[in-house]
Amino acid sequence: MPDPVAGPGETLVEVAAAGVNFGDIKQIAGELTEGPYAQKGPLPHIPGMEVVGRTADGRRVLGYVRQGGYAAKTVVAERDLVVLPQGVSAGAALALLVQGLTAWHLLRSVARVRPGESVVVHAAAGGTGSLAVQLARAFGAGRVIATASSEEKRAFALELGADVAVDGAAEGYRERILDANQGQPVDIVLDAVGGPVLDSALDALGFLGRLVTYGSSSRQAATAVPPHRLAVESITVGGFWLIPLLTREGAGGTALEELVGLTARGRLRPLVGAEYDLGSARAAHEDLLGRRTKGKLVLVP
């Protein structure tokens, strides 16, 4: 392929590393035909949304691209770039873009966490969940409760700063969460599981509690919530998806700069996984789909 050419408001980036996401796999499989993830333009198609690299003027940057990251060079809009300090590795930086910004906005923009509040993070050992646990602590949460499916994952969540970690299964959920919160209902639940777990999480919310849904890994439908229940119990159910926000506002800015700064100061530890040669992108996808990986997968041209 010829080198891409930067247009107005864009810059050419020589890619040092690209991040791998489930969205890349769905896109190239033709499973996404509408929305910001949809494949657009003629073939050959180059996937990849996250890159770390250098600009022609020597800046080391982290950037978001709608597609084109799996390459030696790509074009990134200036509004989608932030400068990286040398102390932040490429893998850590790539974990901050989609997963880190999602965790930041779940807590800041939607749940609007306040100091002293209790926060429950589902799937706390995953890419977004592991960052949400740490950010909840950094943002002043009074008690951080992690849920995860195995003892190993729960131990990892405790390492990251959770006060307590419990099984996230729907059966017995409310009792475990209230016990973990010293007998009290919780203020915030961040849910990427959906289905019966979401139903149970609603029962654990206290006065003015907020549940934010941002995924449904269970692939099960949750029960419809009648509006009068929200009013009577004074609870809020919200949702969040990062990609439309990036399309509207760009990836660069305050939130990503804060995430990079927290990482540079050692207050945030993104989970970095295996590194693959760019020519082995298929192997990376197969490992991700096979759940044989842990942390952010990185492709190196």
Side-chain angles (χ1 to χ4, degrees):
M1 295 289 291
D3 287 353
V5 178
E10 298 177 332
T11 189
L12 183 67
V13 174
E14 186 169 349
V15 179
V20 177
N21 288 286
F22 274 109
D24 303 339
I25 299 171
K26 289 180 175 291
Q27 190 181 68
I28 65 173
E31 296 177 12
L32 299 171
T33 58
E34 297 180 358
Y37 272 133
Q39 178 183 319
K40 293 179 172 65
L43 295 173
H45 169 73
I46 304 174
M49 294 181 288
E50 307 157 327
V51 296
V52 167
R54 287 200 180 272
T55 62
D57 58 8
R59 290 175 294 163
R60 181 173 181 259
V61 296
L62 168 65
Y64 163 74
V65 289
R66 291 184 62 178
Q67 57 188 46
Y70 291 13
K73 295 181 181 180
T74 194
V75 168
V76 184
E78 283 287 343
R79 73 173 194 155
D80 290 321
L81 290 175
V82 293
V83 175
L84 285 179
Q86 290 302 318
V88 177
S89 72
L94 291 167
L96 295 176
L97 219 162
V98 172
Q99 286 91 354
L101 281 176
T102 295
W104 192 99
H105 283 287
L106 288 171
L107 288 162
R108 288 286 202 212
S109 302
V110 187
R112 299 179 185 273
V113 62
R114 295 186 291 265
E117 290 190 312
S118 53
V119 178
V120 179
V121 180
H122 292 170
T128 300
S130 63
L131 291 168
V133 166
Q134 298 174 73
L135 287 174
R137 176 66 66 220
F139 294 163
R143 193 162 182 82
V144 180
I145 301 166
T147 77
S149 60
S150 70
E151 286 291 347
E152 180 186 5
K153 291 179 178 179
R154 292 192 284 273
F156 177 65
L158 294 173
E159 273 183 53
L160 294 175
D163 293 290
V164 62
V166 300
D167 188 346
E171 186 175 353
Y173 176 99
R174 182 178 184 274
E175 292 72 20
R176 289 193 300 276
I177 294 298
L178 265 61
D179 183 61
N181 199 38
Q182 301 172 322
Q184 299 299 311
V186 296
D187 298 303
I188 294 168
V189 176
L190 306 182
D191 174 60
V193 180
V197 171
L198 188 153
D199 297 340
S200 299
L202 286 173
D203 294 334
L205 286 177
F207 180 69
L208 297 180
R210 290 90 76 199
L211 182 147
V212 187
T213 175
Y214 67 102
S216 183
S217 62
S218 69
R219 297 188 176 182
Q220 294 178 279
T223 304
V225 182
H228 75 267
R229 179 183 177 184
L230 303 178
V232 170
E233 298 182 17
S234 298
I235 60 176
T236 298
V237 177
F240 181 72
W241 186 29
L242 178 68
I243 302 302
L245 184 142
L246 298 184
T247 302
R248 290 167 59 93
E249 301 181 8
T254 303
L256 193 54
E257 289 171 355
E258 181 176 5
L259 290 169
V260 169
L262 287 169
T263 303
R265 296 193 298 275
R267 296 188 61 195
L268 189 61
R269 184 173 59 135
L271 184 58
V272 182
E275 186 176 287
Y276 300 76
D277 179 82
L278 181 57
S280 300
R282 175 172 178 158
H285 287 185
E286 290 174 343
D287 287 347
L288 187 61
L289 286 171
R291 300 188 182 279
R292 295 187 290 271
T293 67
K294 185 177 180 181
K296 189 68 183 176
L297 301 189
V298 177
L299 300 178
V300 179

